[in-house]
Amino acid sequence: MRSDLVLELPNDIKAIEHTVEFVVRRCEPSCEDQKRLRLNFRVALTEALSNAMLYGNHRDPAKRVRVEVTVKSCSVIACVTDEGNGFDPEVVPDPTCPMNLCKSGGRGVFLMRKLLDEVRYNDRGNSVTLVLRYGAPQNELRGASA
Amino acid sequence: MRSDLVLELPNDIKAIEHTVEFVVRRCEPSCEDQKRLRLNFRVALTEALSNAMLYGNHRDPAKRVRVEVTVKSCSVIACVTDEGNGFDPEVVPDPTCPMNLCKSGGRGVFLMRKLLDEVRYNDRGNSVTLVLRYGAPQNELRGASA
Amino acid sequence: MVFQVQKSDDITIVDVDGQLIVGNRQELKQKVLEELERGERKFLIDFANTGYIDSSGLGVLVSLSKKIREQEGELRLSGLNEDLRTLFELTKLDTLFIITDTREEALKGL
Amino acid sequence: MVFQVQKSDDITIVDVDGQLIVGNRQELKQKVLEELERGERKFLIDFANTGYIDSSGLGVLVSLSKKIREQEGELRLSGLNEDLRTLFELTKLDTLFIITDTREEALKGL
Ligand SMILES: Nc1ncnc2c1ncn2[C@@H]1O[C@H](COP(=O)(O)OP(=O)(O)O)[C@@H](O)[C@H]1O
Ligand SMILES: Nc1ncnc2c1ncn2[C@@H]1O[C@H](COP(=O)(O)OP(=O)(O)O)[C@@H](O)[C@H]1O
């Protein structure tokens, strides 16, 4: 299936806010859950983009981040891919453990997972697919209502 | 040279406004001529996108428009490509002729050329490159001041 | 973008908030044609809150002006900032329309 | 986005207009740390005009709160709408901060 929107972005964290805004506006007309699009999807996409730019592409301005967005009748899907070597998303520690609560970092992957219905990494770990579902059959653990 | 921003857009004229806004915001920090970025470039990019969607892609929602943007120290360059068969930009009539003045159409290509320093089609005619220059060596016939 | 329609005596005033471009021009056209069908004859389109206009926006204005004149009505434009005026000048459409600086001037003349 | 700093008696109030995210968090951090160095000790960050916050925005709040406490100061947060509260709850940061509904409440307590 062809994506509804593809972006190749410069590796510039200043571009994240406008990019997220642009993608969300594009999804708005078709999305039946404006509230979770506005909060959950927006924050999760911001996390995915900043991880791609900061860790995947190591802030290298010559690298790019690719975003593919697909809007379906019951979901919005965004795939964010960087040019890095990836990582193992399974070993990210739980930032809500008392030991980690006072750390300034480590909440990005956790938030994505909490906020969305599905967060899937490729094997290499340099590409993450974010899924926000709405309409009937929904994941019970869907973040904002947790 | 790699573009600073690449977009593959759905063939939906409702997406044009947000796309133009997104691209212009991306160019703003580096552009030394905010006035012509805001008017000349914005209008010209709108024309290029609507022609690509309406004539190139014949309003077909399965088709896509590709936009490549490059921001340099003395110019902003946008290349807009559709999936159509192109046309001959040389035979577009002058809309300011008294005969044409009362027609409702035919001002898009003309405006792009008037507003920008350079408007270049590929041989097939399905891809147009828009150039807004600023800083020292400028085209004398640069639109807004004409 | 939003098109707001108001009446002042027998004049129909349309405010264009945002852009008048290919994605929304039909909306403006429809709004004005509805009023024309209802019997309205004097129109003012105010661009004081407009960002930019593209060629298809200009095209809609040309076609509305023709339709209004066919019904012996009149269309005026007001509130064009420097940027928007440039577009009318480049396309020589400033010679086709009655354009006034302010809405008040336009209302006086209509 | 803009960070506006005001003083009310000995309290430094920072308004976050827009988003607090990876692209601008350093700006907030710097503003607050400058005030801390100048000797200010009571801080209120008001989110009444904030759209959303990402994990790095939350991270900056955590690190500011630590730095302020090290100087025996105090940081409060106010004006979080339902969306923003959700983010604090999911990350359990609501247990780490003193959060009040309104700016007035926060000022009274500080
Ligand atoms: N796209 C990526 N490429 C490489 N490493 C990543 C990527 N995304 C996340 N990581 C790794 O996972 C860790 C946890 O990320 P995250 O939960 O977002 O917290 P933080 O960004 O605060 O470190 C990062 O520190 C980084 O090592
Ligand atoms: N990308 C394109 N692909 C095919 N034909 C095009 C393209 N762009 C412009 N044209 C042709 O050029 C003509 C003039 O376009 P333009 O000056 O924008 O005025 P208008 O859009 O009002 O017709 C169009 O009617 C169309 O036939």
Side-chain angles (χ1 to χ4, degrees), chain B residues 70-142:
Chain B
T70 309
V71 190
K72 298 190 185 175
S73 62
C74 55
S75 62
V76 171
I77 303 169
C79 177
V80 175
T81 307
D82 59 58
E83 302 186 54
N85 299 321
F87 74 116
D88 182 355
E90 296 314 312
V91 303
V92 173
D94 181 350
T96 63
C97 279
M99 252 186 56
N100 295 331
L101 203 59
C102 291
K103 293 192 179 155
S104 68
R107 292 179 187 88
V109 174
F110 173 85
L111 265 183
M112 284 195 267
R113 286 177 171 149
K114 279 282 178 189
L115 292 170
L116 294 181
D117 298 293
E118 193 177 334
V119 174
R120 201 169 54 227
Y121 279 88
N122 64 350
D123 287 344
R124 177 163 147 198
N126 71 325
S127 180
V128 60
T129 301
L130 310 174
V131 184
L132 178 79
R133 273 193 263 277
Y134 34 84
Q138 238 176 36
N139 187 330
E140 286 304 306
L141 294 159
R142 65 169 205 285

Side-chain angles (χ1 to χ4, degrees), chain C residues 15-30:
Chain C
D15 277 297
V16 178
D17 281 8
Q19 333 305 341
L20 175 59
I21 56 176
V22 60
N24 63 34
R25 60 181 164 160
Q26 291 302 342
E27 228 173 288
L28 175 69
K29 191 166 179 175
Q30 213 181 308

Side-chain angles (χ1 to χ4, degrees), chain C residues 38-93:
Chain C
R38 265 195 218 133
E40 300 296 341
R41 290 297 174 261
K42 295 180 179 178
F43 292 87
L44 168 60
I45 305 184
D46 191 7
F47 295 95
N49 297 313
T50 309
Y52 61 107
I53 305 180
D54 70 2
S55 70
S56 70
L58 294 172
V60 156
L61 296 177
V62 170
S63 106
L64 284 175
S65 135
K66 263 194 282 188
K67 293 221 159 74
I68 291 170
R69 256 184 286 125
E70 278 166 20
Q71 305 293 324
E72 274 143 51
E74 192 180 338
L75 168 66
R76 298 196 169 199
L77 312 181
S78 68
L80 298 162
N81 64 24
E82 198 195 325
D83 281 1
L84 299 181
R85 262 189 195 270
T86 300
L87 297 174
F88 281 81
E89 284 160 16
L90 286 174
T91 54
K92 302 214 171 122
L93 287 178

Side-chain angles (χ1 to χ4, degrees), chain A residues 13-14 16-17 20 35 38-39 42-43 46-47 50 96 101-104 107-108 110-111 115 143-144, chain D residues 19 21-25 51-55 58-59 62-63 66 82-83 86-87 90-93 95-96:
Chain A
I13 56 170
K14 299 269 180 212
I16 293 179
E17 181 176 350
V20 171
K35 189 176 152 48
R38 194 185 61 214
L39 179 74
R42 219 155 57 146
V43 173
T46 304
E47 302 298 343
S50 53
T96 64
L101 203 60
C102 292
K103 292 191 180 155
S104 68
R107 293 179 186 87
F110 173 85
L111 266 183
L115 292 170
Chain D
Q19 334 303 341
I21 56 178
V22 60
N24 63 35
R25 61 181 163 158
Y52 61 107
I53 304 181
D54 71 1
S55 70
L58 295 172
V62 171
S63 104
K66 262 194 285 186
E82 198 195 326
D83 282 2
T86 302
L87 296 174
L90 286 174
T91 53
K92 301 212 172 125
L93 288 179
T95 63
L96 206 71

